[in-house]
C-alpha cells in the first residue's frame, strides 16, 4: 500500500472519529503527493458560495470516495474537505462534491481533487483499488487587498460551445467570479447533456480563468425530463438556485425568475408551479433587501435571467419587451423598485442593451446579448458583461462582443 493510500485511509478514520483535518502541516522536507495525469471524465468546477467558502464538484471514472485538498500557502499546510451527509462520507458513487470553508479571499488558492477507487463495497468490509484520479487547479485571490471587486456574466449560450472559445479569453482582469445567467442549455434531457453543455463550461472557466462560478437557472433549464435532477450536479448555496452573497463592498442577489409563461400553459402539461415558487422567493427577497447586509453595502447588484421592465411604453401596454407581464414577476420587480438597487444584470432577450432608469424601474439595467440561433456564426451576437467596483467605489460596467469590441461602457458612482 503506497503512502498516498495509507494517508487517505488514515484521514478517513480521523474524520469518522470527528477529529479535525483542516490545516495539517507537512513535515520538514515533505512535499505534497504528486498529481497524476488527469483522467476525470468531468473536470471539476468551483462554485461560489460566499467570500470564504466554495463548493467543488467533479465526476470520477469509477465508483470512488473523494476528497479535496487545498492550500493558500503553496502546500506548507494542506487542508482537506470531504462530503458527509448524516454521518456517512461520500463513497461508492462517481459524482462527488465537497465544500471548502475558511478561505481567505485576499489570497490565491490551490486545490486538488482526489478520487480513490472502491472495488468491493460490502456491509462490513470495503476494498480500495490502487488507482486514484487526481486533478489540480487554482483560484485567483477573489478579493484583492485593495478592495476591488470584479465579476463577469455569460448568458443565453444555448449549447453553442463556440461562444466560450470567443468569450473566455475576455475574462482577463476579472478576479472575483463569473455568473452564468441562464439558458446555457436549450432543455435538460439527461445527465450527458448537462455535463457537456453546462458543467464542462463551468469547469473551463474555473480551470482556465481561475474563477469560481455562480450558476443561475434560466427558463430553458426548467424544461425537459431531467430538469428536476439538475441540482444533483451542482453545489448550490442552501440548496436554492437563488441566493445572496457579500463580496467586499458589494451585496449580490441572484434571482431565479423561472418560466416566461403562465403555469397553465399547455407546454408544461400541468407539471409546474412557478406562481407559488416565485411567491416564496419574493418573500425571501423582501427580507433580503431589508437586511443590514443589503442596506449597508456600497453597491447592490441584482442578477436575474428574465429582465425587469425595459421601457415605459411596454408597461403602459401591460407588457414587457419579452412577453405579456406575469403577476408573479410583477411582484418580484415591484419589491426591487423599492430596494435601492445599484445595477440589474439581465438576459433572455438575445438583444443586448443598456437601459437607463425609469420611474417603475429606478435603477439602470444591462441586458446581455444572445446567439442568433439561425445565424451560421451563432456566437456573433453573444456578449460578455464585465463589471468592476474600484477602491474609489466607482462601478465600471462594460459589455464586450465575441470579437472584443466594447458595446457598452458606463460608470456608476456608488
Amino acid at each position: 500500500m503506497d503512502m498516498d493510500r495509507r494517508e487517505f485511509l488514515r484521514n478517513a478514520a480521523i474524520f469518522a472519529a470527528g477529529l479535525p483535518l483542516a490545516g495539517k502541516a507537512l513535515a520538514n522536507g515533505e512535499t505534497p503527493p504528486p498529481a497524476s495525469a488527469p483522467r476525470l471524465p468531468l473536470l471539476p468546477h468551483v462554485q461560489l458560495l460566499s467570500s470564504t467558502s466554495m463548493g467543488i464538484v467533479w465526476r470520477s471514472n469509477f465508483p470512488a470516495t473523494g476528497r479535496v485538498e487545498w492550500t493558500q500557502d503553496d502546500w506548507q499546510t494542506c487542508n482537506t474537505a470531504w462530503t458527509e451527509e448524516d454521518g456517512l462520507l461520500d463513497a461508492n458513487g462517481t459524482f462527488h462534491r465537497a465544500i471548502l470553508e475558511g478561505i481567505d479571499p485576499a489570497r490565491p488558492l490551490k486545490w486538488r481533487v482526489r478520487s480513490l477507487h472502491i472495488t468491493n463495497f460490502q456491509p462490513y468490509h470495503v476494498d480500495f483499488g490502487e488507482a486514484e484520479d487526481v486533478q489540480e487547479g487554482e483560484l485567483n485571490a477573489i478579493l484583492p487587498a485593495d478592495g476591488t471587486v470584479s465579476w463577469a456574466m455569460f448568458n443565453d449560450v444555448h449549447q453553442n460551445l463556440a461562444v466560450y472559445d470567443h468569450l473566455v479569453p475576455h475574462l482577463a482582469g476579472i478576479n472575483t467570479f463569473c455568473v452564468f445567467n441562464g439558458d446555457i442549455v436549450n432543455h435538460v434531457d439527461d445527465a450527458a447533456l448537462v455535463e457537456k453543455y453546462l458543467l464542462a463550461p463551468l469547469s473551463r472557466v474555473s480551470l482556465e480563468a481561475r474563477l469560481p462560478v455562480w450558476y443561475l437557472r434560466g427558463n430553458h433549464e426548467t424544461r425537459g425530463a431531467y430538469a428536476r435532477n439538475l441540482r444533483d450536479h451542482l453545489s448550490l448555496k442552501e440548496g436554492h438556485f437563488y441566493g445572496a452573497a457579500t463580496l467586499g463592498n458589494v451585496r449580490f442577489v441572484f434571482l431565479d425568475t423561472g418560466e416566461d409563461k403562465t403555469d397553465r400553459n399547455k407546454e408544461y402539461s400541468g407539471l409546474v408551479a412557478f406562481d407559488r415558487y416565485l411567491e416564496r422567493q419574493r418573500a425571501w427577497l423582501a427580507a433580503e433587501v431589508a437586511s443590514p447586509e443589503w442596506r449597508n453595502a456600497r453597491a447592490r447588484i441584482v442578477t436575474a435571467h428574465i429582465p425587469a421592465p425595459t421601457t415605459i411604453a411596454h408597461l403602459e401596454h401591460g407588457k414587457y419587451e419579452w412577453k405579456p407581464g406575469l403577476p408573479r414577476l410583477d411582484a418580484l420587480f415591484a419589491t426591487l423598485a423599492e430596494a435601492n438597487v445599484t445595477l440589474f444584470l439581465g438576459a433572455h432577450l438575445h438583444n443586448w442593451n443598456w437601459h437607463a432608469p425609469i420611474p417603475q424601474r429606478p435603477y439602470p439595467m444591462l441586458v446581455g446579448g444572445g446567439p442568433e440561433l439561425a445565424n451560421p456564426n451563432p456566437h456573433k451576437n453573444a456578449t460578455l458583461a464585465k463589471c468592476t467596483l474600484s477602491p474609489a467605489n466607482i462601478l465600471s460596467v462594460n459589455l464586450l462582443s465575441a470579437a472584443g469590441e466594447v458595446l457598452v461602457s458606463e460608470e456608476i458612482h456608488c
Side-chain angles (χ1 to χ4, degrees):
M1 181 183 292
D2 61 23
M3 179 62 69
D4 272 2
R5 188 173 160 208
R6 284 201 304 271
E7 180 71 5
F8 184 88
L9 297 176
R10 183 187 73 84
N11 283 347
I14 292 174
F15 189 93
L19 300 177
L21 281 166
K24 180 181 76 69
L26 300 176
N28 290 336
E30 183 181 357
T31 59
S36 63
R39 293 175 288 132
L40 297 174
L42 175 66
L43 294 177
H45 71 268
V46 184
Q47 288 192 241
L48 176 73
L49 300 176
S50 74
S51 62
T52 60
S53 60
M54 307 284 171
I56 296 188
V57 181
W58 73 100
R59 185 163 68 83
S60 57
N61 272 312
F62 34 66
T65 180
R67 74 186 190 273
V68 179
E69 300 166 341
W70 61 277
T71 183
Q72 292 190 281
D73 58 13
D74 203 22
W75 301 111
Q76 294 182 56
T77 56
C78 178
N79 306 282
T80 304
W82 307 71
T83 291
E84 175 268 324
E85 292 184 358
D86 300 324
L88 298 177
L89 300 185
D90 166 34
N92 212 38
T94 59
F95 201 79
H96 311 280
R97 59 168 62 85
I99 295 177
L100 283 54
E101 297 182 292
I103 294 169
D104 180 351
R107 302 170 68 188
L109 181 147
K110 294 182 179 180
W111 54 264
R112 176 168 54 226
V113 303
R114 292 185 173 275
S115 310
L116 182 62
H117 191 182
I118 293 177
T119 58
N120 180 33
F121 202 120
Q122 298 299 320
Y124 303 104
H125 176 77
V126 177
D127 292 323
F128 297 92
E130 296 297 326
E132 186 178 45
D133 275 347
V134 182
Q135 174 66 42
E136 294 183 328
E138 299 183 27
L139 287 184
N140 303 318
I142 64 170
L143 295 175
D146 66 1
T148 299
V149 184
S150 57
W151 68 100
M153 178 183 77
F154 291 111
N155 61 276
D156 295 286
V157 177
H158 286 282
Q159 301 182 190
N160 291 285
L161 296 179
V163 165
Y164 303 107
D165 296 332
H166 292 273
L167 293 183
V168 167
H170 300 324
L171 287 170
I174 299 298
N175 289 305
T176 307
F177 75 101
C178 181
V179 57
F180 284 65
N181 190 9
D183 285 8
I184 306 304
V185 303
N186 291 329
H187 31 76
V188 188
D189 297 333
D190 52 39
L193 182 145
V194 170
E195 291 193 3
K196 180 177 180 179
Y197 293 111
L198 174 60
L199 301 185
L202 297 181
S203 300
R204 179 172 180 178
V205 169
S206 293
L207 292 168
E208 292 186 23
R210 303 200 296 187
L211 292 171
V213 298
W214 187 291
Y215 167 68
L216 189 56
R217 191 170 62 165
N219 58 298
H220 277 261
E221 280 114 353
T222 67
R223 303 171 184 173
Y226 201 70
R228 288 147 184 83
N229 303 88
L230 187 57
R231 66 177 61 252
D232 299 337
H233 298 263
L234 301 163
S235 181
L236 299 173
K237 186 173 183 178
E238 298 178 356
H240 298 302
F241 286 103
Y242 60 87
T246 296
L247 300 167
N249 288 330
V250 185
R251 182 66 171 177
F252 292 92
V253 162
F254 305 91
L255 297 176
D256 179 8
T257 46
E259 267 294 359
D260 62 356
K261 304 176 187 67
T262 67
D263 287 349
R264 297 181 301 277
N265 191 284
K266 64 179 181 180
E267 292 186 5
Y268 308 140
S269 303
L271 297 177
V272 301
F274 285 104
D275 287 346
R276 282 184 288 173
Y277 174 62
L278 266 292
E279 176 54 31
R280 293 196 303 272
Q281 196 174 160
R282 191 209 59 77
W284 170 86
L285 178 62
E288 163 61 31
V289 299
S291 70
E293 292 82 0
W294 176 267
R295 289 186 286 107
N296 296 335
R298 194 75 189 208
R300 292 160 297 279
I301 310 299
V302 175
T303 304
H305 180 72
I306 296 178
T310 56
T311 67
I312 295 175
H314 286 117
L315 286 171
E316 289 175 344
H317 289 86
K319 296 182 178 182
Y320 298 109
E321 184 174 340
W322 48 274
K323 196 73 68 178
L326 291 172
R328 60 178 182 248
L329 288 178
D330 292 340
L332 202 67
F333 296 143
T335 301
L336 290 178
E338 304 296 327
N340 196 21
V341 174
T342 304
L343 174 68
F344 187 110
L345 294 171
H348 190 61
L349 304 181
H350 286 236
N351 293 312
W352 61 266
N353 213 331
W354 172 262
H355 299 276
I358 57 176
Q360 296 88 343
R361 177 184 44 79
Y363 47 82
M365 180 168 67
L366 178 68
V367 175
E372 299 171 348
L373 301 184
N375 194 303
N377 298 312
H379 61 270
K380 183 179 179 181
N381 201 45
T383 60
L384 177 72
K386 299 179 70 173
C387 302
T388 301
L389 182 70
S390 73
N393 291 312
I394 298 174
L395 178 59
S396 300
V397 183
N398 293 282
L399 191 70
L400 304 183
S401 71
E405 177 188 2
V406 178
L407 305 172
V408 172
S409 182
E410 299 285 343
E411 283 191 350
I412 302 171
H413 291 256
C414 300

